[in-house]
Amino acid sequence: MTKPLTTRRDTLRALAAFGSAAPFAMTLAQVGEAAAATAQSDYKALVCVFLHGGNDSNNLLLATDSASWGRYWQARNRGSDPIALMPPGTPPVPIGQTSTVAQRQVTAITDPAYWGGVLPIVPRTPKLTPGAPLGDPPRTFALHPLTPKLRDLFHSGRMAGLANVGTLLAPLTKAQYLQESNAPVPIPQRLFSHQDQQAAWQSGHVDGAATGWGGKLADVFRSASNPASQNFASLTTSSPPLFSAGQSVTAYRVNPGAGAVTIGVLQKTGSYNNSSLMLRALSETLKTNDAAGNALGDAYVAAVQHSLDTAAQFNASLAKTTVPPPPAFTNPLTGVSESNPLADQLRAVAQTIAGHNNLRINRQVFFVQLGGFDTHDNQNKQHTLLYSQIDHAFSYFDSAIRALKMENAVTTFTASDFNRSFTTNGDGTDHAWGGHHLIMGGAVNGGDIYGTYPTLGIDNKDTGFTNPDAVDNALIPTTSVEQYLATLGRWFGVSDADLLSIFPRLSAFPNRDLGFMRT
Amino acid sequence: LTSSTASVAPIAVGAAAISAGAVVLASSSQTGDIALPSSAAFQASRFLAQATFGPNDTLIASVQTLRIEQWITQQADTTQTPSPTQFVAWINRREAELRAANNNRGHASHTQFQEAFWASVISDPDQLRQRMAFALSQIMVVSFKNAEITPRIGAAYWDLLRKYAFGNYVDLLKAVTLSGAMGIYLNIVGNAEADKDPSRHPDENYAREILQLMSIGLYQLNPDGSPVLDAAGQPVATYSHDDIAGLAKVFTGLGWRAKTPTDKSFRRPTQKDADIQPLMVYPQYHSRLSKTFLGQTLPALTTANPTDAEVVDYQLKELDAALGIIASHPNVGPFLGRRLIQRFVKSNPSPDYIRRVATAFNDNGKGVRGDLLATITAVLTDTEARPFKPGAFDGKLREPTLRLSMWYRALGAASASGSYLQTGDLSSPTSLNEAPLEAATVFNFWTPDYAPPGSVIQAAGKVAPEFQAVDVLTTASYALRIINLIMFGNIYGDLSAKYGDIANKDVSTKLAHEVRLTDAYGLVAPQPLIARLNLLFCGGQMSAALTRRITDVVNSTTPTSRKPTAKDIAAVNLKRVQNAVTLTMVSTDFLIQR
């Protein structure tokens, strides 16, 4: 490989501290070897669950104190298909009966009244509404009614919530935001745009970048002497996203439910299709850029070569692992038992984690995703399936990783383009900004909500209410994406100096460890 | 084997000469009585790989007879198109057949749309129109991955893209806006005004994506496609969220066609054929407030107690005015021009190339803006489209769909049943990872600015959109599919099955022309075979290295019997062609169109 070598920069810096020529006498490969040797025993994995399209986390993690709930209900219990969830304690209403809370007849299982009330969760530490006097009673919270297993994970201490995270260049208040071009602090550009906000979340740069922060974390732990730390350190179950691309580390795409695709005939020798030369010629053609001098041809051949180099090793590792498949999943919309694509991806992740010793690797970053969160329309129907899939998949993955006795080594977290509008467009929601996220694993300081859960509601001229935490329909984030990711990166074992290099705006925020990970 | 080196030389020289653009390969070069392709034929093929779903003998001859401009004009002639509604008609016919064959329980699915697509691209004469529809389907994206888009709704969308392919851009934009497919995919249908409800707002999905993806993009552009920079050197945004909220109000009050419009028909088709007809206005759901976006304001409806007819008139005029504002934005020429160049010709057009195409979009020479025929003509006839000596970042990675369509067309594939049966999902990552109207999201299979991370392409600030679908899984899957395709004669053939999948052989080729390229001994000869593959798959640019490799393999492909019968010879001839085509189609000489 001719790619530049990246090793643990903190190791190099430590060596450089000797102040002599010594570090330069040590070859970069030796440094990498040293890094690999010291860290071999402490395996860690980060698993990013990307909720593609911008999850309406206003309906995932909710504040249920009466002031919050009143404004939530006002904003969402309207339109042709109201998206307001039912308050805590509301019994489910069967189809054909009338919900006294919603004041309508329930006609489908996609009606929130059919699901019953949101599921209360009690954070370990009391939370107040921002700006509320200290003597106020603590706020109350809940999860979506279709996520009972997430509630159990929260109460078991293996899941935490993180409130109102979004792309920020620096801490930003509403007053500052409203000054727009004269704002004393910069405001991120291209908010509300899927591609750009995905790029911000996945690169760790508000304006996007050529590589992803998942790949760059893997870069930190790459060892020049161990090809696996190049090939199997950043894995994805879908078309490689920006998140997975490192400077040196190449994203590895895993095929859920199956091994790596191998070109079987290349393993054969002798004659093929009546030609003694065909197999050799086939191999040569796959590995040679015949369009010599064309950079696109070079890139294609490099991708083929990567595939040919890794497939057998990956499959051999996979064959030695045992991870049970997910339990049956019933699609609530159809009643049919079917596969849950998120659980299937997480099984492939668990299998890879189970095989980390076979691959001789001690740090891995995974990216899985679930699509369909761009709920402009029919949000109730779409969330019926999506939140059921999340509940089932997270619970399954928690069990699978605990069965491997690796729960303290694996941290799973959600990410998404953005949160959605607080008000409804009739039967759905539109693009917005700050949103709420979940972090799961044995190393999580679970059972609590981190960050600052915002004031809810939109400004109302009639009542005189103004929300200090929102502009129009969008929450102004109080925690930056980079603070969130850096907290995960620090747990992963990345030095503060490397974190500041990977997340260029992190330095604008005083708090670089949000506390949701045990250290 | 010794003769192979000698026999290959003229072609290698010929190929080099072609790429240098200098010498005509003498058409009198012959093996026996088989004529080798001329330089003009290679150039015609190179053009046809850009403008059609694949060169074949007929088209190569046709382009050499006509000038390229004339050929394009001929393609725009609607008499080239079998029927303006052929995709919907296909679904209707297949739906009836499937129902009859399955006790009235059968149904057409998006598979039947794929049949219609392959039938059309393999056999229909209106190739450029189909390619334009294919390109537009990747700019104005809808996808069957949204299950509410039925096969008929998707087919109607394809018919629409074909109809407007060479029309005016603003008419295309209007037809797309009023299509059921886009209505569902980006939530136009059933979008109700919220004029008096501060706690609700109109759906913003289409308002955002029509600007971001289909017309002007995020930044103000110079005519050559480069971003306009502000004093601080930063690109200047084309719009803010306020523009989106303003435009979103325009797209309220559009629902399905119905003689008696109801709340239900506003949200879902209720009347026969409403699914394939343009949406219609529902005045009671349309915003009557003023709408400000892109620096212009469309006025509020100020008539006191307006009649339905007055609101309808207001809404229709407003829709035309809004689409007119978008279509007349100076960004559209360079924005659309770059995307069309990337779909047809190359990933990295020069700023001048973009400017020339934008100029044609802005004025077709007769003072008309938005002429898509003039625009695509500018794309395909530009001096940069087929350079004599392609540079390091020239060309593009051929899309998987085009790789397969070239195989079908070059080698004379046909459907035994006439229905072009498709028995698998080509959009699966273990298949081709692409199929028409099967993109995962509105952002298409790939985005215009993608560059493979860590590559020389990225380091040079260049792009290669199609690489967004290239990874360890899809590269191996493609090679495997090609090996199987050629051995079994069908993309759905499977080497892992004991006898292959015989049932899947509906669309296939017997390689009849190629097996006749024989020498004095009756064996397929490397030279004419390679010349033909070079013509049909590589535009005359097959490298000397690949030529030599294929020559050696063809010569080494021999009968196992010492005294081969005529049947043995025929069998080995087929294998010679199979081996040569396999090597060609997995090589970068084919994969990189340049």
Side-chain angles (χ1 to χ4, degrees), chain B residues 409-425:
Chain B
R409 291 179 53 80
L411 303 175
S415 164
S417 70
S419 287
Y420 291 80
L421 301 177
Q422 306 291 313
T423 51
D425 174 12

Side-chain angles (χ1 to χ4, degrees), chain B residues 478-540:
Chain B
Y478 170 72
L480 202 56
R481 284 280 165 174
I482 290 303
I483 293 165
N484 291 354
L485 163 71
I486 294 160
M487 293 300 287
F488 287 94
N490 185 288
I491 190 64
Y492 301 112
D494 184 354
L495 273 185
S496 65
K498 195 171 175 188
Y499 304 104
D501 192 341
I502 307 296
N504 287 350
K505 284 199 163 185
D506 188 51
V507 193
S508 190
T509 169
K510 292 185 166 48
L511 303 168
H513 186 115
E514 290 68 29
V515 295
R516 287 200 301 269
L517 300 171
T518 51
D519 60 16
Y521 304 100
L523 284 168
V524 164
Q527 189 187 15
L529 174 61
I530 291 170
R532 182 164 176 77
L533 299 183
N534 188 13
L535 174 70
L536 295 171
F537 290 93
C538 304

Side-chain angles (χ1 to χ4, degrees), chain A residues 78 253 275 289 295 307 424 430, chain B residues 197 201 204 392 471-472 556 588:
Chain A
R78 57 180 61 232
R253 180 174 186 175
S275 165
N289 179 17
S307 180
T424 173
D430 290 278
Chain B
D197 185 350
H201 61 276
E204 295 170 355
D471 55 55
V472 289
S556 75
T588 53

Side-chain angles (χ1 to χ4, degrees), chain A residues 38-364:
Chain A
T38 54
Q40 198 65 42
S41 58
D42 95 282
Y43 176 85
K44 283 183 179 174
L46 276 172
V47 183
C48 176
V49 177
F50 203 88
L51 308 178
H52 197 275
N55 178 37
D56 180 36
S57 53
N58 298 306
N59 267 9
L60 174 62
L61 180 60
L62 305 95
T64 53
D65 53 280
S66 60
S68 301
W69 192 265
R71 290 189 292 268
Y72 168 88
W73 190 257
Q74 164 74 16
R76 292 198 154 202
N77 187 40
R78 57 180 61 232
S80 60
D81 184 4
I83 57 170
L85 302 174
M86 298 301 118
T90 310
V93 177
I95 289 173
Q97 295 191 19
T98 296
S99 160
T100 51
V101 177
Q103 298 187 334
R104 62 175 177 260
Q105 194 186 36
V106 174
T107 59
I109 69 149
T110 57
D111 187 328
Y114 177 84
W115 307 331
V118 293
L119 308 173
I121 53 170
V122 185
R124 273 191 290 111
T125 54
K127 312 286 171 201
L128 296 181
T129 302
L134 276 177
D136 268 20
R139 286 175 102 178
T140 53
F141 296 93
L143 287 165
H144 190 279
L146 296 176
T147 60
K149 296 189 179 100
L150 297 186
R151 175 199 53 195
D152 296 346
L153 279 161
F154 185 90
H155 282 146
S156 74
R158 290 197 305 282
M159 178 172 278
L162 178 60
N164 199 13
V165 190
T167 50
L168 283 177
L169 289 156
L172 180 70
T173 65
K174 182 175 188 172
Q176 289 166 337
Y177 180 90
L178 293 175
Q179 292 177 49
E180 292 193 5
S181 55
N182 299 318
V185 293
I187 297 165
Q189 299 296 302
R190 299 171 300 283
L191 294 170
F192 311 112
S193 155
H194 286 295
Q195 277 174 311
D196 296 276
Q197 296 301 300
Q198 286 168 8
W201 272 88
Q202 293 189 22
S203 67
H205 292 224
V206 173
D207 290 321
T211 49
W213 69 270
K216 279 188 273 198
L217 290 195
D219 280 339
V220 171
F221 294 92
R222 178 172 169 267
S223 153
S225 64
N226 179 9
S229 71
Q230 160 95 19
N231 291 331
F232 304 116
S234 178
L235 301 100
T236 165
T237 48
S238 53
S239 197
L242 176 60
F243 172 88
S244 304
Q247 305 273 9
S248 310
V249 164
T250 317
Y252 192 77
R253 180 174 186 175
V254 177
N255 188 16
V261 172
T262 56
I263 303 167
V265 295
L266 293 181
Q267 268 77 58
K268 294 182 180 167
T269 53
S271 186
Y272 176 84
N273 210 29
N274 284 41
S275 165
S276 57
L277 301 179
M278 179 62 182
L279 292 176
R280 200 179 74 196
L282 184 60
S283 176
E284 209 173 309
T285 306
L286 288 169
K287 294 174 182 176
T288 309
N289 179 17
D290 282 315
N294 186 286
L296 282 70
D298 288 340
Y300 194 84
V301 166
V304 173
Q305 184 77 55
H306 187 216
S307 180
L308 297 174
D309 287 348
T310 51
Q313 192 189 0
F314 189 80
N315 284 347
S317 166
L318 205 60
K320 292 182 203 157
T321 65
T322 315
V323 173
F329 173 75
T330 303
N331 182 332
L333 296 173
T334 60
V336 173
S337 183
E338 63 184 26
S339 68
N340 173 354
L342 183 59
D344 291 346
Q345 292 175 73
L346 288 172
R347 184 190 187 205
V349 172
Q351 288 172 316
T352 310
I353 289 172
H356 76 273
N357 280 328
N358 307 329
L359 295 173
R360 273 202 342 113
I361 187 157
N362 69 334
R363 284 293 187 282
Q364 289 182 305

